[in-house]
């Protein structure tokens, strides 16, 4: 499944679903380590078995670029 | 600071702010352990230096009760 590209505000969004809270937390932990290693912190919403991620452009009020899309793919690779 | 009580949908909400991503993650880790120990999983949104928590009533379509308010206080105690 691919990321949804939104226009107002400009962002990439994706919902990940999991079979248990343990799997949700494993993913959040990996995501946290990755965020820290590249110093990029998306907005994240989660509950017991889902995680929603919102990636905004690095530069405020600009378009999404290849770096943003690469970040989305890196997150996919954590699954 | 106290929790905001909302009516539609019925829930308790609170925003916690932190000085660094490390402190944000420490709080999320404690919250995760507590959630797991009592098997109650609120909806959580977070970014680098904030965490928003939404507590809904345990029983769907019911009012908030003392157990819900106690859970909110337990979360405050994790700070």
């Amino acid at each position: 499944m691919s990321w949804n590209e939104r226009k107002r505000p400009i962002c990439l969004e994706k919902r990940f679903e999991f079979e248990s809270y343990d799997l949700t937390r494993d993913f959040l932990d990996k995501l946290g380590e990755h965020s820290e290693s590249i110093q990029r912190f998306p907005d994240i919403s989660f509950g017991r078995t889902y995680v929603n991620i919102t990636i905004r452009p690095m530069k405020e009020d600009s378009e999404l670029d290849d770096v943003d899309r690469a970040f989305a793919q890196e997150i996919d690779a954590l699954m």
Side-chain angles (χ1 to χ4, degrees), chain A:
Chain A
M1 218 186 61
S2 62
W3 290 69
N4 295 316
E5 198 158 328
R6 292 183 177 260
K7 291 292 170 195
R8 273 181 297 268
I10 293 172
C11 65
L12 290 168
E13 278 188 350
K14 188 167 175 178
R15 181 182 173 98
F16 295 84
E17 301 205 348
F18 302 89
E19 289 186 359
S20 69
Y21 182 64
D22 279 354
L23 293 172
T24 302
R25 279 198 73 187
D26 286 348
F27 177 72
L28 286 170
D29 285 346
K30 281 190 270 184
L31 182 56
E33 282 160 31
H34 185 61
S35 286
E36 204 152 25
S37 73
I38 65 170
Q39 287 295 302
R40 183 162 187 181
F41 305 92
D43 285 305
I44 298 166
S45 302
F46 71 98
R48 197 173 68 85
T49 56
Y50 75 89
V51 176
N52 276 321
I53 302 175
T54 302
I55 297 175
R56 298 206 168 74
M58 286 275 262
K59 295 172 205 158
E60 230 172 300
D61 298 321
S62 70
E63 299 291 312
L64 292 157
D65 64 15
D66 289 350
V67 177
D68 301 314
R69 286 177 226 283
F71 181 47
Q73 288 188 352
E74 288 157 21
I75 292 173
D76 284 335
L78 300 175
M79 280 292 280

